[in-house]
Amino acid sequence: MKVLISGASVAGPVLAYWLERYGFEPTVVERTPELRHGLGGHAVDLFSNAVEVAERMGLGDAVREARTRIQQLTLCRDGKRPIDVDLDRLNAGISDRHVEILRGELTRLLYDATRDRVEYLFGDSIATLADDGTGVDVTFEHGKPRRFDLVIGADGMHSTVRRLAFGPEESMQRPLGGYLAVYSMPDELQLGNRMLTHMKIGRLVGLYGVHQTGQARAAFMFHSASELRYDYRDKDQQKQLLADEFREYGWEVPRLLKHLDAAGDFYFDSIAQITLDTWQKGRIGLVGDAGYCPGPAVGGGTSLAVIAAYVLAGELAAARSDLPSGLRNYERMMRQSVDASRALAPKVMKTLIPGGPLAMRAVPLAFAVLPHLPTGLQRLIWAQNGIGKALGSLQLPDYADLVRA
Ligand SMILES: Cc1cc2nc3c(=O)[nH]c(=O)nc-3n(C[C@H](O)[C@H](O)[C@H](O)COP(=O)(O)OP(=O)(O)OC[C@H]3O[C@@H](n4cnc5c(N)ncnc54)[C@H](O)[C@@H]3O)c2cc1C
C-alpha cells in the first residue's frame, strides 16, 4: 500500500513512521527544499498522550533532552510589581508529562527516526489529485506523476491537499481576532533560561532565551477589532504592520523592534482555526493543522497532530484493505479531542491576550497562585480546564499487534 503524505513537519513524519512499521510504503513530499529543522522558529508543547506516542516511537529520552529548559517566567505589567513564576514547579504540578521543544528540533528527531525507511521528496508540492475510487493519481509541481493508494495532507494551516480536495481556505477558516508574531534576536537581556512577559489590555509581549543558540526569541500577540489586510508572503509588509501596532507600547518593546528588520525567521499570522466538518473524502484525508488547526499557540495543535497521526496510522493498518473506512474510523476517534481543542483555543487566547481589566488582574493571580497549590489540586484544575481536558478525552489505543517485524 503506497501512501503519499504532504508535509514533513510534525504530523507527516509521525504518520510515516507508524505506517512504515505497519507494512505500508509511505512517501513524504515537502515543499521546502530541505527539512524545516533547526533552532529558529517557535517552541511547541507535547502533552500527556503526545509524550506517550513519542515514547512508543523510542524518542522519549531524545525529546526530553531537546526540551527548551525555560525555568522561570516573569510577568510584568505597568505600575505593578513583577510576578515570578517557577515554571519547573508549575509544569511538574499540572502534569508529569509535558515537554516544551522547538518545533524544528522535534521535526529533526522525527525525520531522523524515519529517513532510512521512508521516501522523502523535498522541494516539491502536489499539483493535482484525482481519486477514482481505487487509487489517487497525483501530479507534482516538479516530479513525475505517480499513483498512490491513499493521499494524506499533513501540510499545515495553509494546506494544499485541503484546497485541492476540500475547497478554498477562506471558506473554512475562522479567525479568532488575534495575531501572532515571533522572531529571533540577540539575547541582550541575558535571559538564559528565563522568560519575560509584559501584558496590557489587548496585547502580550514575550521574550525568552534559547539555550541551544544563546539567542532570544521575541513573541507578540495582539487583538484587533477589525481584520487586518496583508499578503501572507510579504514579510516586509508584515514587519511594518507589527512595528506600527507596537510602536507606542513602551516597556522593552523598542529594544525588540530594533531587531525586527534583521529577523530572518520572522513569522506573522492571524490566530485562526480550520473548521472543516470532515477530514476525509474517499482516499484523501487530512491530519494535524491541515485538518483542524485549533489556532497557533492556543489550542495544543502539536500534541493534537502527534496523537492524530498515531491514531490515523493505526486505524489505516486495522482497516488494511478498506482504507476509506480506516479514514472514517480515525475521524470518529479524534472528533472529541478536536472539538475540545477548538472550543478551548478562544478561551486560551483571551487569557493570553487580556480582554479587559478583570483579565489583567485574574491571569497574573492565577499564575502566582497555581504553583503553590498542592500537586493533586493543580492536576485537577489542569485536567478539568486545560488542554489536558481536550487531549485527555482519548484513551490512546494500542496498535502493537499490527506492527510488522
Ligand atoms: C508562532 C507559532 C507558535 C506556536 N506555538 C505553539 C505552542 O506553544 N504549542 C503548540 O502545541 N503548538 C504551537 N504552535 C502550533 C504548532 O506549530 C502546530 O500545531 C504544529 O506544528 C502542527 O503540525 P503539522 O505537522 O500539522 O503542521 P505544520 O507544522 O504546519 O507543518 C506543515 C508542513 O507542511 C509543509 N507544507 C506546506 N505546504 C506544503 C505543500 N504544498 N507541499 C508539501 N509540503 C507543504 C510545510 O513546509 C511544513 O513543513 C505554534 C504555531 C506557530 C506558528
Side-chain angles (χ1 to χ4, degrees):
M1 299 269 193
K2 294 185 193 311
V3 179
L4 177 63
I5 301 164
S6 175
S9 173
V10 178
V14 173
L15 178 62
Y17 174 90
W18 287 107
L19 285 179
E20 196 278 333
R21 297 286 313 271
Y22 302 141
F24 288 75
E25 278 180 58
T27 296
V28 183
V29 57
E30 165 59 48
R31 188 183 52 188
T32 55
E34 52 188 47
L35 193 70
R36 290 172 64 225
H37 65 117
L39 303 165
H42 55 275
V44 298
D45 299 284
L46 296 178
F47 293 113
S48 51
N49 278 343
V51 177
E52 176 60 29
V53 172
E55 298 277 7
R56 292 183 191 181
M57 295 171 75
L59 294 177
D61 287 345
V63 160
R64 276 186 289 276
E65 181 57 29
R67 72 191 185 279
T68 56
R69 293 164 209 247
I70 302 290
Q71 286 162 346
Q72 188 192 312
L73 167 73
T74 304
L75 263 171
C76 309
R77 290 164 296 164
D78 287 344
K80 305 268 182 208
R81 245 179 350 141
I83 296 174
D84 287 329
V85 182
D86 181 340
L87 286 183
D88 279 345
R89 192 166 168 173
L90 182 67
N91 283 330
I94 58 175
S95 166
D96 54 357
R97 301 209 117 184
H98 170 223
V99 179
E100 188 185 66
I101 180 171
L102 295 175
R103 192 209 49 82
E105 283 281 81
L106 179 60
T107 296
R108 175 181 63 79
L109 293 172
L110 296 172
Y111 176 66
D112 286 348
T114 49
R115 61 190 300 174
D116 293 339
R117 290 177 298 176
V118 169
E119 180 188 27
Y120 277 88
L121 309 171
F122 286 101
D124 210 345
S125 172
I126 296 171
T128 63
L129 292 169
D131 177 357
D132 64 12
T134 58
V136 188
D137 288 310
V138 180
T139 65
F140 294 91
E141 284 179 3
H142 302 293
K144 291 203 173 74
R146 287 168 65 171
R147 186 172 170 82
F148 294 89
D149 296 293
L150 191 78
V151 174
I152 301 293
D155 42 5
M157 174 86 161
H158 305 293
S159 165
T160 295
V161 172
R162 192 182 61 229
R163 176 172 51 76
L164 293 172
F166 295 84
E169 184 166 314
E170 304 74 57
S171 63
M172 49 195 77
Q173 208 189 60
R174 177 181 168 223
L176 298 183
Y179 293 83
L180 173 64
V182 182
Y183 58 88
S184 296
M185 57 175 273
D187 187 4
E188 290 180 356
L189 296 174
Q190 315 233 309
L191 292 169
N193 291 341
R194 288 182 305 131
M195 179 171 189
L196 285 180
T197 62
H198 188 280
M199 60 208 290
K200 292 186 182 185
I201 293 175
R203 299 271 185 280
L204 178 81
V205 183
L207 187 67
Y208 59 93
V210 179
H211 72 91
Q212 296 101 325
T213 61
Q215 283 214 309
R217 198 138 299 149
F220 297 78
M221 291 176 105
F222 62 98
H223 179 262
S224 174
S226 57
E227 201 174 328
L228 301 176
R229 300 257 162 242
Y230 60 93
D231 179 347
Y232 79 90
R233 283 161 302 215
D234 188 343
K235 294 289 172 204
D236 289 340
Q237 184 197 26
Q238 295 162 22
K239 286 180 179 180
Q240 190 58 51
L241 211 151
L242 182 71
D244 291 346
E245 282 289 335
F246 282 87
R247 185 157 291 129
E248 307 297 329
Y249 188 93
W251 188 60
E252 293 287 348
V253 166
R255 184 197 292 280
L256 273 52
L257 293 181
K258 206 174 65 191
H259 298 285
L260 185 56
D261 279 348
D265 60 353
F266 178 78
Y267 166 92
F268 182 88
D269 211 343
S270 80
I271 303 178
Q273 300 190 322
I274 295 297
T275 55
L276 271 176
D277 292 335
T278 181
W279 330 306
Q280 42 80 28
K281 203 183 220 179
R283 289 176 173 263
I284 301 173
L286 301 169
V287 65
D289 274 10
Y292 30 78
C293 175
V298 292
T302 306
S303 294
L304 202 56
V306 168
I307 296 164
Y310 170 81
V311 170
L312 173 55
E315 292 305 316
L316 290 173
R320 193 56 67 173
S321 57
D322 186 0
L323 296 177
S325 98
L327 282 179
R328 287 193 295 277
N329 291 341
Y330 143 73
E331 179 170 306
R332 192 174 40 74
M333 290 186 64
M334 288 306 301
R335 169 70 62 190
Q336 205 183 337
S337 301
V338 167
D339 287 350
S341 290
R342 265 190 204 145
L344 181 77
K347 294 179 196 155
V348 174
M349 196 188 82
K350 282 190 186 131
T351 306
L352 292 174
I353 312 175
L358 190 64
M360 282 292 289
R361 284 197 296 275
V363 173
L365 187 67
F367 270 105
V369 169
L370 204 54
H372 301 287
L373 295 178
T375 303
L377 190 53
Q378 288 183 46
R379 293 218 171 137
L380 187 68
I381 292 170
W382 165 252
Q384 297 292 320
N385 300 294
I387 293 168
K389 184 179 178 192
L391 299 171
S393 57
L394 178 79
Q395 183 74 32
L396 202 63
D398 187 350
Y399 301 109
D401 288 355
L402 301 168
V403 170
R404 299 276 168 98

